[in-house]
Amino acid sequence: MKMYRVFAAIIAMMLLGTVCHAGTKAAPKADTKKEGVTAKVNVNTASSAELEKLPGIGAATAKKIIAGRPYAAAGDLAKAGVPAKTIAKITPLVTFGAAPAAAAKPAAPKGLGMPAAAPVKAPATHQPGAAAKSAKSVTPPPAGKDMVWVNTDSKIYHKPGSKWYGKTKQGRYMAEPEAIKAGYRESKSGIK
């Protein structure tokens, strides 16, 4: 019976020592200034306040990060002046999702008698007649003698009276001597 009591006393002391020792263990240091970072912060969409919650990021650095967007990886933050040590600290706490889209015009509230805006279609490419449609939006030639329309895509220039004068998608107006000097050649198609 004596052995049982000694054995029970040893076990009790071990358990008590473990409990007491666990209570005296030092808690891991926490950056009290930067508490609250629980979910990963998207560097490309986060507000200044959200960025400031990251360790080593202050108001000035947050502004620099926002000004330098978008970022693809943590290493890109060096371009905004973030030190390498800080980048190493925040790398596991941040993500680099898509940058926010440009601010669009707010839609009119429904029910106020205003029609909803129709979606804008992107211009079709390589369709018959597309060149003729785009020709209508070309600006008129500047005043001056010897002005030609240079097709910057094909490196050919067209004189006034040509069916392509001012009507190709890629081009600009230029003086004929400048076009020749720049390496453009005259169109072989005749004038209308």
Side-chain angles (χ1 to χ4, degrees):
M1 188 71 141
K2 220 178 200 189
M3 186 66 115
Y4 174 73
R5 286 184 183 174
V6 172
F7 186 66
I10 292 173
I11 291 177
M13 288 174 50
M14 286 176 35
L15 287 174
L16 185 60
T18 304
V19 172
C20 290
H21 182 61
T24 60
K25 281 187 182 177
K29 288 185 179 180
D31 189 356
T32 56
K33 180 184 173 193
K34 305 296 181 182
E35 287 180 3
V37 178
T38 55
K40 288 193 175 191
V41 176
N42 185 338
V43 175
N44 291 324
T45 59
S47 68
S48 180
E50 290 171 322
L51 291 171
E52 289 176 36
K53 290 180 182 178
L54 294 169
I57 304 294
T61 306
K63 286 180 185 177
K64 289 178 186 177
I65 290 172
I66 291 171
R69 287 178 179 165
Y71 301 99
D76 294 346
L77 292 172
K79 295 176 191 173
V82 180
K85 284 185 176 182
T86 304
I87 292 172
K89 284 181 195 176
I90 67 171
T91 298
L93 305 173
V94 295
T95 62
F96 298 89
K105 288 184 179 180
K110 292 183 180 180
L112 295 179
M114 297 175 70
V120 178
K121 287 187 176 181
T125 57
H126 303 296
Q127 291 182 355
K133 289 178 185 175
S134 67
K136 294 177 184 175
S137 65
V138 174
T139 58
K145 200 173 187 182
D146 297 327
M147 295 304 284
V148 294
W149 174 257
V150 176
N151 183 332
T152 56
D153 192 34
S154 66
K155 307 290 185 190
I156 296 174
Y157 68 87
H158 304 278
K159 291 186 175 184
S162 167
K163 71 176 187 174
W164 298 110
Y165 185 73
K167 295 183 180 177
T168 58
K169 285 185 180 181
Q170 302 292 324
R172 62 187 180 127
Y173 292 101
M174 184 184 282
E176 187 173 9
E178 290 177 19
I180 293 169
K181 188 176 179 181
Y184 296 104
R185 60 184 173 84
E186 184 177 356
S187 171
K188 294 187 183 194
S189 63
I191 299 174
K192 305 190 228 185

